Amino acid sequence: MAPTTQGPRARYREQTRAEIKEAALRQLAEGGLAAIALTRIAKEMGMSGPALYRYFANRDDLLSALIRDAYDDLAAAIGVAAEACADALPRVRLHALAAAFRAWGVEQPHRYLLIAGPPLPGYSAPADTVTRARAALGPFLSVFVAGEPSGPAVELVEQMTAWAEREPAVASWAEQYTEVPVSAGGVGRALAGAVLAWSQMHGAVSLEVAGQFTGMGHDPGTLLDAQVDALADAFRLD
């Protein structure tokens, strides 16, 4: 079946939604989540408040759209890095993926904090953001699937294996990126390594974009590289 071509009305609607999101991102960059105001956006665009609500039901609906876009863009950036280093050794791939994560966050701190910063009181992200977050984390799974965990990581592998065994959606996600079944044992290693990598990257990049490393006399990228090497050592990655 041939793809359906959008009509003028549908194209106009998508264009207007994109312009509203761009205005919201400017507000986000200027003053954080608290600065996003639909009334200000409507005024900037020369629209009435009721007219804007035809495109986004409320502020939370707009925030959800921004969050979805941010996760999708982060996943795309990490995906490009994963493809570029697909034939490299696992340790090299891990460094490349971590660098892509950091670069995206540092270049767009307002969007990074939107998905990784403190939650907005009273707001609940839509369920589909979990799938989008997993897409960003997915390439890390393939790095750790053949690792050999040691020390405290061993217990985490056991926990992650149990998680995949009782949650079909988790198993399906992990198997998509590792190409091995849960029963083969590699999925638990992959999940444990990816979760540890994510937590370390989140901590380092969150501090950096918040300006917490200012005046400490070191390059934040060097700190993240050291964390990545320590994690690679813990999983005996080449």
Side-chain angles (χ1 to χ4, degrees):
M1 181 181 296
T4 302
T5 302
Q6 283 189 329
R9 181 175 298 180
R11 291 196 299 270
Y12 176 78
R13 177 177 176 80
E14 288 305 307
Q15 179 182 342
T16 303
R17 280 176 58 88
E19 291 175 359
I20 292 170
K21 288 191 289 185
E22 288 174 3
L25 286 174
R26 287 194 294 272
Q27 292 182 352
L28 180 67
E30 292 168 0
L33 280 172
I36 298 178
L38 296 185
T39 53
R40 285 179 54 207
I41 294 173
K43 183 177 180 179
E44 177 183 330
M45 297 184 62
M47 301 171 63
S48 66
L52 189 144
Y53 285 110
R54 291 202 295 267
Y55 299 94
F56 291 97
N58 48 44
R59 184 167 178 265
D60 284 1
D61 187 26
L62 176 56
L63 284 178
S64 294
L66 297 180
I67 289 170
R68 290 186 179 102
D69 288 350
Y71 272 122
D72 289 347
D73 285 353
L74 175 58
I78 293 176
V80 168
E83 184 174 351
C85 65
D87 297 328
L89 293 173
R91 183 182 295 263
V92 175
R93 290 162 56 202
L94 181 57
H95 273 283
L97 298 181
F101 178 94
R102 174 176 176 259
W104 188 88
V106 171
E107 290 168 4
Q108 306 181 81
H110 58 297
R111 298 183 78 200
Y112 176 83
L113 292 174
L114 177 66
I115 60 176
L120 184 67
Y123 171 76
S124 297
D128 63 1
T129 55
V130 173
T131 301
R132 288 175 157 83
R134 287 176 178 172
L137 184 57
F140 290 88
L141 296 171
S142 63
V143 172
F144 289 99
V145 67
E148 299 178 14
S150 59
V154 174
E155 182 177 354
L156 182 60
V157 169
E158 295 173 355
Q159 295 174 5
M160 294 293 100
T161 299
W163 181 35
E165 289 175 343
R166 68 175 179 267
E167 297 287 347
V170 173
S172 177
W173 164 53
E175 290 172 357
Q176 174 187 350
Y177 286 93
T178 62
E179 299 183 348
V180 299
V182 173
S183 58
V187 164
R189 295 193 297 270
L191 287 169
V195 168
L196 286 171
W198 199 261
S199 64
Q200 291 185 4
M201 292 186 304
H202 169 69
V205 176
S206 294
L207 289 171
E208 181 177 2
V209 300
Q212 298 300 315
F213 289 146
T214 302
M216 292 183 66
H218 75 288
D219 173 20
T222 302
L223 172 62
L224 184 57
D225 282 342
Q227 291 179 310
V228 168
D229 274 327
L231 184 56
D233 290 341
F235 278 78
R236 300 189 180 94
L237 298 180
D238 295 330

